[in-house]
Amino acid sequence: MTSIRTKIKARLKKFVEFDVSGLRRRVLSLILNLKRSTVDELHMAISKDFDVSRSVVASMVGYIHSRLGILRSHKESYKTPTVYSLKEEYVDLIQNVLASKKPASS
């Protein structure tokens, strides 16, 4: 039986492995540095380097939250945006994955 942490590490590596443009690494880097943010805050930061829509960023954050499981979400009320925060127990996994070199293209 494999641990949840091992599964998350494998999913995280695969998520970054398929990063063609660097967008996924940038999103993970921002999440790591900001600790807590909304989709709008991430979109504003990412749109300085990449030409992406808010919905692209929102779907990527949703994927990271639901599939990778490294984010918490909190919503004060139905009128406020969802605030995503990084789970502290996965900070080292993200740092290791981001520190690894991009695999060479075949």
Side-chain angles (χ1 to χ4, degrees), residues 47-92:
S47 62
K48 295 174 185 172
D49 301 324
F50 296 92
D51 184 26
V52 293
S53 66
R54 184 192 179 283
S55 62
V56 168
V57 175
S59 65
M60 192 173 298
V61 170
Y63 180 87
I64 293 169
H65 175 256
S66 66
R67 184 74 174 139
L68 298 181
I70 60 175
L71 297 177
R72 280 188 189 87
S73 64
H74 178 72
K75 191 166 178 78
E76 290 288 328
S77 73
Y78 71 94
K79 292 181 180 181
T80 60
T82 303
V83 177
Y84 294 94
S85 59
L86 180 61
K87 293 179 182 177
E88 288 298 320
E89 60 265 27
Y90 301 118
V91 169
D92 62 324

Side-chain angles (χ1 to χ4, degrees), residues 18-70:
F18 291 112
D19 186 16
V20 177
S21 65
L23 179 61
R24 293 178 180 196
R25 282 181 177 269
R26 180 71 176 130
V27 170
L28 287 173
S29 176
L30 281 171
I31 289 171
L32 185 62
N33 292 332
L34 295 175
K35 302 292 188 209
R36 296 174 46 95
S37 62
T38 64
V39 170
D40 289 327
E41 292 168 346
L42 288 171
H43 178 254
M44 285 189 335
I46 292 168
S47 62
K48 295 174 185 172
D49 301 324
F50 296 92
D51 184 26
V52 293
S53 66
R54 184 192 179 283
S55 62
V56 168
V57 175
S59 65
M60 192 173 298
V61 170
Y63 180 87
I64 293 169
H65 175 256
S66 66
R67 184 74 174 139
L68 298 181
I70 60 175

